Every structure is written in structure tokens, then in C-alpha cells.
Amino acid sequence: MAVHLTPVAFARVQRFVEQSPGALGLRFGVTRTGCSGWGHVTDLAREQKDGDTVFEQEGVRIYVDADSLALVDGTEIDFGKQGLSETFIFRNPNATAECGCGESFTADADKA
């Protein structure tokens, strides 16, 4: 599988990387947070770390750490408006439930 950017998200990430000296691509993963357990996190990747899986889409690289991979593999990342802000939107096939506010999710991997 892979992590995939929609055309709108691709353009946004590509612009972020081009405007950020030293950026290699997008770092994408999860962190423990919220009422459901996991939250998606994004940042600019400035180095490739041991254990990273790197997905490439038309020259844009997405770096995912080994601990996050099982929880985000297959995710489609979009970009759009939610309320008054613009943000990344995650369509994660591994999410089995989300909290009411949409900030965090649970996955079957939590049961392992």
C-alpha cells in the first residue's frame, strides 16, 4: 500500500517543500492524543530517520516512521476548508472509530 496525496494536498505540500530550505518532503505519522487515542501529525521532513518508509508521488516524498506505518498505511491526505480554517484532511482506512470532534481515532492495531 502507500500514503497518497490528492491533487490539492499534493500542490500544498509541494509548495511547502519548495519554500522551505532543507526540507526533503512531508513527515506523516500519528501520536497519542485526544479522546480516541491517535491523532494524525504532519510536519516537514528535514532528515530520513532509521526505520522510515518513504513514499514518493511525482517527486514529492512522504516519510512515515516505523511506529506509525501500520496505523496510516493506505491513508489519502487531502487539503481543504473545515470551518474557518484550512487544514489537511485524512481518509484513513485503518481508523475504526473517531472521536466526536474528529481530532483522534482508534484502530484495530490498538487491540494487538
Side-chain angles (χ1 to χ4, degrees):
M1 281 192 143
V3 174
H4 175 76
L5 300 165
T6 66
V8 175
F10 175 85
R12 189 68 168 206
V13 170
Q14 186 177 43
R15 187 173 53 213
F16 283 152
V17 171
E18 288 172 353
Q19 293 175 352
S20 302
L24 301 175
L26 177 72
R27 180 158 297 282
F28 175 55
V30 295
T31 188
R32 286 273 185 197
T33 188
C35 42
S36 289
W38 296 106
H40 297 101
V41 292
T42 59
D43 198 356
L44 289 173
R46 302 211 175 266
E47 64 179 326
Q48 183 168 346
K49 299 177 182 178
D50 287 342
D52 279 351
T53 297
V54 182
F55 301 102
E56 188 165 340
Q57 182 177 332
E58 298 177 47
V60 171
R61 291 186 184 104
I62 304 164
Y63 295 79
V64 179
D65 65 273
D67 292 336
S68 297
L69 185 60
L71 293 165
V72 300
D73 198 16
T75 298
E76 178 182 70
I77 303 173
D78 198 359
F79 189 83
K81 288 190 176 200
Q82 287 189 331
L84 298 175
S85 62
E86 293 181 323
T87 187
F88 286 110
I89 301 163
F90 307 101
R91 294 182 190 97
N92 185 340
N94 304 296
T96 56
E98 292 182 350
C99 67
C101 64
E103 294 294 317
S104 60
F105 68 97
T106 55
D108 284 339
D110 293 325
K111 297 175 186 172

